[in-house]
């Protein structure tokens, strides 16, 4: 199997990954998964597609993560891993789709408008 690269995005986070056969090591920005994401919840999010297909010990993943916060980065990485797994085995797509990992979450931060303190919030209205 040659190295497969894939991309995942969420909010402003971008995950570029390189998947090759190995023992299940995940390296994020030259750091271990447990070191980069100390939170158990974020580790769980990242490993969801691998655990669903029971291939967590089969591939080594090298990750380049950029932008966003921890949650956005974890979800971007989950999408990238899902896309790579679908490229390796197209038969796994229905399983991943049913779990909701294939869809890119389109929600982005709404821009701040002039004449308002935030995107939707308005300054207090004064009648007189």
């Amino acid at each position: 199997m040659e190295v497969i690269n894939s991309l995942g995005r969420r909010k402003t986070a971008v995950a570029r990954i390189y998947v090759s056969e190995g023992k299940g090591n995940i390296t994020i920005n030259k750091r271990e998964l447990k070191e980069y994401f100390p939170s158990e919840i974020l580790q769980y999010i990242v490993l969801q597609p691998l655990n669903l297909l029971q291939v967590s010990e089969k591939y080594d993943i090298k990750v380049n993560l950029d932008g966003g916060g921890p949650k956005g980065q974890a979800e971007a990485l989950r999408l990238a891993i899902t896309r790579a797994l679908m490229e390796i085995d197209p038969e796994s797509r229905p399983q991943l789709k049913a779990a909701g990992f294939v869809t890119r979450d389109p929600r982005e931060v709404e821009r701040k408008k002039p004449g308002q303190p935030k995107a939707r919030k308005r300054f207090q209205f004064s009648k007189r």
Side-chain angles (χ1 to χ4, degrees):
M1 177 189 132
E2 76 283 354
V3 176
I4 287 172
N5 66 326
S6 140
L7 183 93
R9 290 192 183 98
R10 170 78 169 97
K11 291 184 174 182
T12 56
V14 181
R16 292 186 292 275
I17 70 166
Y18 302 92
V19 180
S20 56
E21 286 197 7
K23 300 184 190 82
N25 298 325
I26 299 176
T27 312
I28 307 168
N29 296 350
K30 297 176 183 163
R31 287 155 66 190
E32 277 299 310
L33 172 70
K34 286 180 172 54
E35 190 188 331
Y36 195 87
F37 291 122
S39 163
E40 295 271 327
I41 296 159
L42 297 179
Q43 287 174 32
Y44 174 75
I45 288 171
V46 169
L47 297 171
Q48 272 179 316
L50 296 166
N51 292 336
L52 181 73
L53 302 175
Q54 283 126 21
V55 292
S56 54
E57 304 295 310
K58 206 172 169 188
Y59 304 111
D60 280 351
I61 303 172
K62 189 175 174 294
V63 185
N64 183 332
L65 256 177
D66 192 48
K71 175 91 168 164
Q73 286 188 346
E75 291 183 11
L77 181 50
R78 179 175 71 183
L79 179 62
I81 291 169
T82 302
R83 286 178 173 171
L85 291 173
M86 286 191 309
E87 203 174 313
I88 293 164
D89 178 24
E91 265 84 85
S92 64
R93 187 182 166 91
Q95 231 181 326
L96 293 163
K97 182 101 175 132
F101 302 150
V102 179
T103 313
R104 196 301 201 186
D105 192 339
R107 294 176 296 172
E108 294 279 336
V109 176
E110 194 174 325
R111 78 177 200 87
K112 184 201 170 296
K113 278 74 165 197
Q116 293 175 209
K118 288 162 81 179
R120 300 264 173 121
K121 190 177 185 180
R122 296 222 158 54
F123 289 117
Q124 187 171 334
F125 178 73
S126 170
K127 209 168 193 177
R128 284 176 194 89

